[in-house]
Amino acid sequence: ETGVTQTPRHLVMGMTNKKSLKCEQHLGHNAMYWYKQSAKKPLELMFVYSLEERVENNSVPSRFSPECPNSSHLFLHLHTLQPEDSALYLCASSQDTGTGSGANVLTFGAGSRLTVL
Amino acid sequence: SQQGEEDPQALSIQEGENATMNCSYKTSINNLQWYRQNSGRGLVHLILIRSNEREKHSGRLRVTLDTSKKSSSLLITASRAADTASYFCATDPGYSTLTFGKGTMLLVSP
C-alpha cells in the first residue's frame, strides 16, 4: 500500500449528498485506476487513466464521475448514490497500462469504505 | 471472460501447515499475478509468473503455472497467523488491464 494514499478512509453519505474520494500516488506511475470491491464479488474495474487521459470506462453509472488533473492525482466524484453503491473503493497505479509492454503490476491504496444510507 | 477463479473460496489451517490455493482462467495470458489483501485494506502484489515460466519462488511462496490447463497454484509453506488474508489471482493478457478473481480467504490459526 505504500506509495498510494486514499482519503477519506471511511465515508458515510446520504443518497442526495455530493462527495469525492481522493487518490494520490508518488511512485512516478503513468496509469491510475478506480476499482469497486463488494462482498463476494470480483474486483470491478471502473475507470483507467493513462497519462491523465481516460482510456477505459467500464459501463459505470454517471453518478460516478472520475477526474484526473495530473498523473499523481485521481478523484472519484459521487452524487445521488444508491445504497447498493456501498463498497470498498480501491485506487491503484501502475507504471503504464501494460498494453503491449509486458507485465503490468498494480500498487493499491488502502481503500475508501463508502456507506450510502 | 478471462476472469481468474480461485479455489477454494475459503481455507482454514493451523500454523506451520502449508496452504495451497488454485486459480483457473479462460484465455491466453502474458503473465499471472497473485495479490494479498488484509481485511478491509488494499491489495498487495506478491508474485508474478510469466506465461513461459512454470514455477517461481519468493520466500515461503511458490507459484506454478500450467498454461495448457490454464491454471496456477499458490503454495504458502510453514504458514503463520500473519498470513491470514484473502488471496487473489490476476490475469494479464498483455493488451489490456488485469482481471481479478473473487479470491480465496485464508485463515491460519495459532
Side-chain angles (χ1 to χ4, degrees), chain A residues 55-70:
Chain A
V55 296
E56 199 162 333
N57 176 350
N58 281 357
S59 302
V60 179
S62 59
R63 56 186 184 269
F64 294 92
S65 174
E67 179 190 1
C68 188
N70 55 61

Side-chain angles (χ1 to χ4, degrees), chain A residues 30-46:
Chain A
N30 294 320
M32 296 188 77
Y33 310 75
W34 279 117
Y35 282 89
K36 175 183 178 183
Q37 187 177 36
S38 305
K40 301 187 179 179
K41 285 186 177 181
L43 261 69
E44 297 174 51
L45 178 63
M46 300 176 73

Side-chain angles (χ1 to χ4, degrees), chain A residues 65-108:
Chain A
S65 174
E67 179 190 1
C68 188
N70 55 61
S71 59
S72 298
H73 294 86
L74 184 65
F75 295 89
L76 188 61
H77 303 301
L78 317 169
H79 61 98
T80 59
L81 295 191
Q82 305 297 312
E84 60 264 30
D85 296 323
S86 298
L88 182 67
Y89 288 84
L90 293 165
C91 174
S93 69
S94 64
Q95 186 60 51
D96 55 41
T97 56
T99 52
S101 61
N104 182 24
V105 175
L106 302 185
T107 301
F108 284 83

Side-chain angles (χ1 to χ4, degrees), chain B residues 84-101:
Chain B
T84 294
S86 291
Y87 292 82
F88 296 84
C89 69
T91 51
D92 182 356
Y95 56 82
S96 68
T97 51
L98 300 184
T99 302
F100 289 84

Side-chain angles (χ1 to χ4, degrees), chain B:
Chain B
S1 168
Q2 184 166 264
Q3 187 176 77
E5 292 283 341
E6 292 91 344
D7 169 63
Q9 290 187 1
L11 180 61
S12 184
I13 60 174
Q14 299 289 121
E15 266 192 326
E17 294 180 340
N18 295 340
T20 299
M21 288 158 269
N22 303 297
C23 171
S24 59
Y25 58 94
K26 296 179 180 177
T27 59
S28 62
I29 59 171
N30 176 286
N31 65 81
L32 185 144
Q33 303 174 31
W34 285 91
Y35 288 77
R36 165 196 167 123
Q37 182 181 32
N38 286 74
S39 180
R41 308 284 293 184
L43 280 72
V44 176
H45 179 258
L46 293 176
I47 193 166
L48 178 153
I49 186 164
R50 297 186 185 277
S51 60
N52 61 354
E53 297 176 310
R54 290 299 167 257
E55 188 171 312
K56 202 160 182 182
H57 297 256
S58 176
R60 293 183 296 113
L61 303 181
R62 173 180 168 243
V63 170
T64 62
L65 178 65
D66 186 335
T67 53
S68 67
K69 294 181 180 179
K70 291 187 169 56
S71 67
S72 174
S73 67
L74 171 67
L75 169 67
I76 303 175
T77 60
S79 62
R80 306 165 182 167
D83 294 328
T84 294
S86 291
Y87 292 82
F88 296 84
C89 69
T91 51
D92 182 356
Y95 56 82
S96 68
T97 51
L98 300 184
T99 302
F100 289 84
K102 294 182 182 179
T104 292
M105 192 177 301
L106 173 66
L107 174 64
V108 182
S109 302

